[in-house]
Amino acid sequence: FSQDARYLVTGSADCTAKIWSIKTGQCVQTLDGHADAVLSAVFSSDGQFVKTTSSDGTTKTWETETGRCKGSVSGQDPPTAFSFTPDG
């Protein structure tokens, strides 16, 4: 959940993460760019970014509002857990 509890982010086997409005239940953003299942997704403390990790071995940072990927890090094994620091 986003810190303000207005949104939920989910990862999926279809290689995407989705941001959902809690109020309407509608998908408001699809984060598309991984080559394999998205294993984990988390909001930054200010809600401006989402970080995802995938079975493809990448971790990506996304702009919440635009869905644009701001950066990607590759490795052999995907991380099993990650988080943003309180200052972003």
Side-chain angles (χ1 to χ4, degrees):
F1 288 94
S2 59
Q3 194 155 356
D4 62 8
R6 292 176 49 211
Y7 300 99
L8 170 71
V9 63
T10 60
S12 177
D14 72 357
C15 308
T16 68
K18 295 187 185 299
I19 300 172
W20 304 88
S21 167
I22 297 300
K23 183 177 181 178
T24 67
Q26 298 294 310
C27 177
V28 296
Q29 195 65 258
T30 298
L31 310 175
D32 186 14
H34 284 291
D36 207 341
V38 175
L39 303 173
S40 186
V42 64
F43 282 100
S44 62
S45 59
D46 62 7
Q48 292 185 31
F49 299 97
V50 166
K51 190 169 289 281
T52 58
T53 187
S54 169
S55 294
D56 66 9
T58 62
T59 298
K60 296 182 181 287
T61 303
W62 309 85
E63 285 184 341
T64 305
E65 191 162 317
T66 66
R68 191 171 76 208
C69 182
K70 295 298 289 177
S72 182
V73 177
S74 297
Q76 291 182 344
D77 296 317
T80 56
F82 57 86
S83 65
F84 283 93
T85 60
D87 62 354

